[in-house]
Amino acid sequence: MEPQEGPFTSLVARYKQLHNIKLINAAVAELDGNVELYVPGSNASPRASLLPEHHRRFGLKKREVSEIVVSSLTVLSLLKQNKIQEVDLLQIDTEGMDFQILCWFFDAGVEPQIVNLKHFHLSFEERAMTRKTLTDRGYWFIETEHDTFAIKETLVRLV
């Protein structure tokens, strides 16, 4: 999933030969429809976020951030529209929304065998809640400088 037009177009060009990859031009959000995406600068940015104040982490002023409207899907709509019944691997890198999106997947009944999420932009409290949530749901995890890699304990015990 990529909500920004420019990066989405690049992904389509990159993966056009791979028919087993489906790209979706939308953001995962709390509601279906449209959401504001806050983009540092006037072009597409890997620092774009659904969080209005995320730009402060980079020392940017509000006037340096563009607000664009992008399509959005809830986790349940994403799963239903794409006929997804099971997720083995969940990769999340959403500029500060990572814990929230992980919770939306769990709330939708999705518990992947493997989760990798970027915790770098999470607050101390959100990182602690991420650890607790993963532990409570039966994941073992390790943290690197920027990411949390989690694997279901039941999968580890199979090996």
Side-chain angles (χ1 to χ4, degrees):
M1 294 190 73
E2 172 56 57
Q4 299 177 83
E5 277 300 322
F8 181 76
T9 301
S10 296
L11 288 171
V12 169
R14 175 177 287 201
Y15 294 108
K16 66 183 173 189
Q17 302 300 327
L18 300 175
H19 303 291
N20 60 339
I21 294 179
K22 180 165 185 185
L23 301 170
I24 299 167
N25 188 205
V28 174
E30 193 168 14
L31 300 171
D32 291 328
N34 295 307
V35 291
E36 291 283 336
L37 185 68
Y38 301 91
V39 184
S42 59
N43 296 321
S45 171
R47 294 178 174 174
S49 178
L50 296 178
L51 300 172
E53 300 298 318
H54 186 65
H55 64 278
R56 290 182 172 196
R57 294 189 62 90
F58 309 108
L60 299 172
K61 299 194 181 331
K62 187 166 178 70
R63 69 176 180 269
E64 298 173 276
V65 177
S66 301
E67 295 178 25
I68 62 172
V69 176
V70 297
S71 296
S72 63
L73 290 172
T74 64
V75 170
L76 283 174
S77 293
L78 171 67
L79 298 171
K80 185 177 180 182
Q81 287 179 17
N82 294 284
K83 298 179 177 119
I84 298 171
Q85 296 180 11
E86 191 175 329
V87 176
D88 295 320
L89 168 67
L90 179 61
Q91 169 66 44
I92 307 172
D93 182 355
T94 55
E95 295 301 303
M97 291 288 296
D98 310 79
F99 174 66
Q100 181 62 60
I101 290 173
L102 177 66
C103 290
W104 289 336
F105 272 90
F106 286 158
D107 290 346
V110 175
E111 292 202 15
Q113 295 296 313
I114 300 170
V115 174
N116 192 62
L117 68 87
K118 190 169 192 174
H119 63 242
F120 185 72
H121 297 296
L122 299 180
S123 68
F124 177 80
E125 292 80 15
E126 288 172 316
R127 285 180 74 172
M129 289 187 304
T130 300
R131 290 183 203 108
K132 180 174 179 359
T133 299
L134 289 169
T135 300
D136 290 350
R137 291 189 173 265
Y139 287 87
W140 289 355
F141 62 89
I142 58 171
E143 293 181 336
T144 63
E145 186 176 352
H146 295 125
D147 297 322
T148 299
F149 177 82
I151 187 166
K152 274 289 208 180
E153 180 179 355
T154 53
L155 182 62
V156 174
R157 296 200 183 277
L158 287 174
V159 178

